[in-house]
Amino acid sequence: MIDSHVHLYTARQNMALAWMTDDSPLRGNFRVDEYLKDSEGQAVDGIIFLEVDRIQSEGNWAEPIKEYEYISRVILNRLYEDNDEGTSGICPGKRDKSIVLGMIPWAPISEGVEAVEKYYSMLVDANPEGISFIKGFRYLVQDKPQGTMLKPQFGESLRWLANKELVFDLGIDVRSGGLWQLEETEKMLQMAPETVYIINHMAKPDLRIPPSEIVHHENFIKWAEFMEIFSKFKTFVKLSGAFSELEHNLDYSRGTEAYDRAIQACTVYCEVIFKYFGPSRVMWGSDWPVCTVGGGKNALANWNDITGDIMGILKLTEDEKEMVYSGTALNAYRLNY
């Protein structure tokens, strides 16, 4: 299995994260070491690292560059153990092979091509060996002002990615941010139709709508309409992030009431995703360690169970499930595996 959405950082890097607070449950070490413990028994063969929203400002990219350097050390197995970076990035049972198959760092997409090219050259200078593991970039727009995705500079940066055969991981938030993010995304896709987009977390739909009301709810109807529109572009979708949108602090283990409710809530949305994108354009992701905030310590395993049951309900074949669990990520991110 390929986990297409994992965040990694050390306790020493906590205060370099733009969203970190003193009482955050995500303070501490969340390295490969901790990931391997939480994913034990889940047959994970590789992961994709996603940037963790480090502190940065226009022209000041020191922290994102440090993040790239850290993940490069993880991949190349050159960790600074005396700096609390962990013991290894190697995949268990696969000697000398990193569990991190590729990375999606941050990039100043909103600042235009000149800035992106300058930033890219700075990454090359920081660690030339890590560059081949960059499969694309992410610039979170879920918390940005309206109009961000529509700036000419944004579109030209996206077209630059297409020319470099790099993807854009798209992070929008329909439930918390509003339906307007779907509208802007459509216009953004039209600005750069040749770029490959990976839609994170199914665009974070409203999974807290009571199951009996979902199909008639305006938010669901609009979300589904835009998913169909998005599917006509070079897009993929991550089956991930649900525990951030479901009710928090519940036991989502198989057999519990919360587990059954999660199946009910997510199946309707997954049906739409598989209808418009098909298994060859849907990839499984845990969103670790963020998933543990809403889903608890065993969130990764529970999400694997939930999604497995949903794919069974939707009658996916074993080959189709294999695409979701690994094949789609391998293809979308052009992974050497």
Side-chain angles (χ1 to χ4, degrees):
M1 184 167 74
I2 307 298
D3 188 340
S4 70
H5 203 99
V6 175
H7 306 290
L8 301 170
Y9 54 91
T10 74
R12 293 191 182 191
Q13 298 165 359
N14 281 182
M15 297 318 296
L17 307 180
W19 46 269
M20 184 59 70
T21 61
D22 290 340
D23 60 350
S24 172
L26 293 174
R27 287 184 71 88
N29 285 315
F30 291 94
R31 307 161 301 183
V32 169
D33 302 63
E34 288 74 31
Y35 178 85
L36 291 176
K37 292 176 184 176
D38 282 7
S39 63
E40 187 174 2
Q42 302 306 306
V44 176
D45 294 321
I47 65 177
I48 305 297
F49 166 80
L50 267 288
E51 61 91 18
V52 195
D53 197 16
R54 291 212 184 191
I55 294 170
Q56 47 74 30
S57 58
E58 187 168 338
N60 182 6
W61 309 320
E63 286 299 334
I65 291 172
K66 288 179 183 177
E67 179 175 72
Y68 161 75
E69 291 177 300
Y70 167 57
I71 299 304
S72 295
R73 291 195 296 274
V74 172
I75 292 172
L76 299 169
N77 198 27
R78 297 174 188 169
L79 291 166
Y80 300 153
E81 290 187 36
D82 60 350
N83 199 30
D84 206 24
E85 290 192 342
T87 57
S88 176
I90 299 300
C91 183
K94 298 193 176 183
R95 193 176 70 178
D96 298 331
K97 186 174 180 64
S98 174
I99 193 170
V100 183
L101 303 179
M103 64 170 124
I104 303 296
W106 175 91
I109 300 298
S110 67
E111 297 178 40
V113 167
E114 186 175 343
V116 173
E117 288 183 334
K118 179 180 178 181
Y119 175 75
Y120 188 79
S121 69
M122 292 171 74
L123 296 183
V124 174
D125 291 342
N127 191 326
E129 291 180 86
I131 288 296
S132 65
F133 294 96
I134 294 178
K135 303 304 176 181
F137 290 101
R138 186 171 80 156
Y139 176 89
L140 273 177
V141 290
Q142 64 187 36
D143 58 349
K144 301 300 187 293
Q146 288 186 244
T148 298
M149 287 183 271
L150 306 183
K151 294 167 58 177
Q153 298 96 317
F154 208 96
E156 68 181 31
S157 295
L158 294 175
R159 291 189 290 274
W160 180 89
L161 292 180
N163 291 334
K164 297 283 287 187
E165 296 188 330
L166 296 169
V167 308
F168 181 64
D169 259 72
L170 174 65
I172 60 175
D173 188 340
V174 174
R175 185 180 70 84
S176 298
L179 294 172
W180 65 266
Q181 294 193 4
L182 295 171
E183 297 165 359
E184 281 204 4
T185 295
E186 180 187 3
K187 295 175 182 177
M188 179 198 73
L189 295 173
Q190 293 169 345
M191 288 168 59
E194 296 306 311
T195 305
V196 174
Y197 300 87
I198 316 289
I199 302 171
N200 294 180
H201 313 326
M202 300 186 291
K204 291 193 173 186
D206 190 349
L207 299 181
R208 301 186 188 186
I209 301 170
S212 62
E213 301 175 15
I214 292 176
V215 296
H216 304 294
H217 197 286
E218 178 189 6
N219 285 5
F220 171 78
I221 293 170
K222 284 291 184 183
W223 172 86
E225 288 174 354
F226 277 102
M227 287 301 107
E228 181 180 13
I229 292 169
F230 297 167
S231 71
K232 301 182 187 305
F233 293 86
K234 295 182 177 181
T235 47
F236 296 83
V237 178
K238 287 186 179 179
L239 188 58
S240 60
F243 286 133
S244 293
E245 311 311 314
L246 293 165
E247 188 176 350
H248 289 190
N249 302 317
L250 298 178
D251 180 4
Y252 285 99
S253 301
R254 187 190 294 277
T256 64
E257 184 180 343
Y259 184 94
D260 293 340
R261 287 209 306 269
I263 294 279
Q264 282 185 299
C266 294
T267 298
V268 183
Y269 290 90
C270 290
E271 188 172 15
V272 171
I273 291 300
F274 284 113
K275 175 182 178 181
Y276 293 129
F277 293 86
S280 65
R281 292 167 65 194
V282 178
M283 66 184 80
W284 190 89
S286 68
D287 193 25
W288 187 90
V290 179
C291 62
T292 63
V293 176
K297 177 66 176 175
N298 297 320
L300 191 152
N302 291 340
W303 182 237
N304 194 8
D305 287 341
I306 289 169
T307 50
D309 284 356
I310 290 172
M311 287 189 278
I313 292 169
L314 298 179
K315 294 181 168 48
L316 269 68
T317 66
E318 291 304 311
D319 286 345
E320 289 172 334
K321 292 176 185 177
E322 185 65 23
M323 283 301 299
V324 175
Y325 280 127
S326 61
T328 300
L330 292 172
N331 294 337
Y333 285 120
R334 300 172 181 262
L335 299 175
N336 296 320
Y337 180 72

